[in-house]
C-alpha cells in the first residue's frame, strides 16, 4: 500500500498534467490545501503560470475532490473571484451561483474547466 505522501504526490502530478492539457497554454502547479491522506477526499489549489513563466493568479482554481456515497464528485471554483460560478462535477457538470447554489449557465470560459473535471474524475475513479 502506498504511503499518504506518495498518494498525494501522485495526485498532484495527475491534476497538474490534466490541467496543462485541458487549459492550454497555461502551466499549472498543484498545492494541497489540507492534510488529506486520500485521493477521494482532499482540497487542492491549482496555481497558473503563463507560457513565459509569469504567474497569472486570476486563473487560479480551488478543487475539492470528495465522495458522496459511492460517487466521486469534484467542485472547481476560481480563487480570486468569489462571484464567478463554480462547477460541480459528478455524473454530469452543473454550474452554480456561489452565493445561492442555484443552477446557472456555463460561463463563456467554462468549457476547459468541464473538460478538466471530466478528465480528473475519469483518472481518479479507478483509484477506488
Amino acid at each position: 500500500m502506498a504511503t499518504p505522501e506518495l498518494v498525494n504526490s501522485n495526485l498532484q502530478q495527475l491534476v497538474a498534467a490534466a490541467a496543462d492539457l485541458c487549459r492550454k497554454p497555461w502551466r499549472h502547479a498543484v498545492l494541497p490545501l489540507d492534510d488529506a491522506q486520500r485521493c477521494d477526499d482532499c482540497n487542492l489549489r491549482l496555481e497558473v503560470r503563463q507560457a513565459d513563466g509569469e504567474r497569472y493568479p486570476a486563473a487560479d482554481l480551488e478543487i475539492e475532490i470528495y465522495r458522496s456515497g459511492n460517487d466521486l464528485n469534484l467542485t472547481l471554483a476560481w480563487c480570486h473571484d468569489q462571484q464567478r460560478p463554480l462547477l460541480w462535477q459528478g455524473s454530469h457538470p452543473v454550474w452554480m451561483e456561489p452565493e445561492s447554489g442555484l443552477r446557472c449557465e456555463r460561463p463563456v470560459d467554462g468549457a476547459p474547466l468541464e473538460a478538466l473535471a471530466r478528465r480528473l474524475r475519469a483518472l481518479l475513479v479507478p483509484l477506488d
Side-chain angles (χ1 to χ4, degrees):
M1 180 170 200
T3 65
E5 295 80 17
L6 182 58
V7 170
N8 286 341
S9 174
N10 289 342
L11 176 63
Q12 289 171 253
Q13 292 172 359
L14 280 173
V15 172
D20 288 351
L21 181 66
C22 296
R23 298 182 76 203
K24 289 182 181 180
W26 292 330
R27 302 289 297 169
H28 300 82
V30 178
L31 305 172
L33 293 177
D34 56 24
D35 293 329
Q37 296 182 4
R38 297 176 22 184
C39 293
D40 62 355
D41 183 20
C42 65
N43 293 296
L44 306 169
R45 180 182 184 100
L46 196 60
E47 291 191 345
V48 177
R49 293 192 179 275
Q50 297 179 51
D52 64 3
E54 186 76 24
R55 277 280 289 122
Y56 190 61
D60 289 356
L61 297 173
E62 286 188 15
I63 302 173
E64 180 181 5
I65 302 169
Y66 62 96
R67 281 222 178 264
S68 178
N70 291 328
D71 294 328
L72 184 71
N73 299 291
L74 296 98
T75 58
L76 286 78
W78 280 269
C79 296
H80 297 287
D81 189 350
Q82 304 300 318
Q83 301 306 310
R84 294 197 69 185
L86 60 92
L87 173 63
W88 173 85
Q89 176 73 47
S91 57
H92 60 279
V94 176
W95 287 94
M96 299 181 293
E97 295 175 1
E99 292 288 321
S100 65
L102 295 175
R103 268 190 152 166
C104 64
E105 294 296 315
R106 177 176 75 188
V108 291
D109 57 352
L113 269 66
E114 288 183 12
L116 173 59
R118 280 191 309 272
R119 181 170 292 278
L120 290 176
R121 195 163 180 271
L123 288 169
L124 295 174
V125 168
L127 296 178
D128 292 346

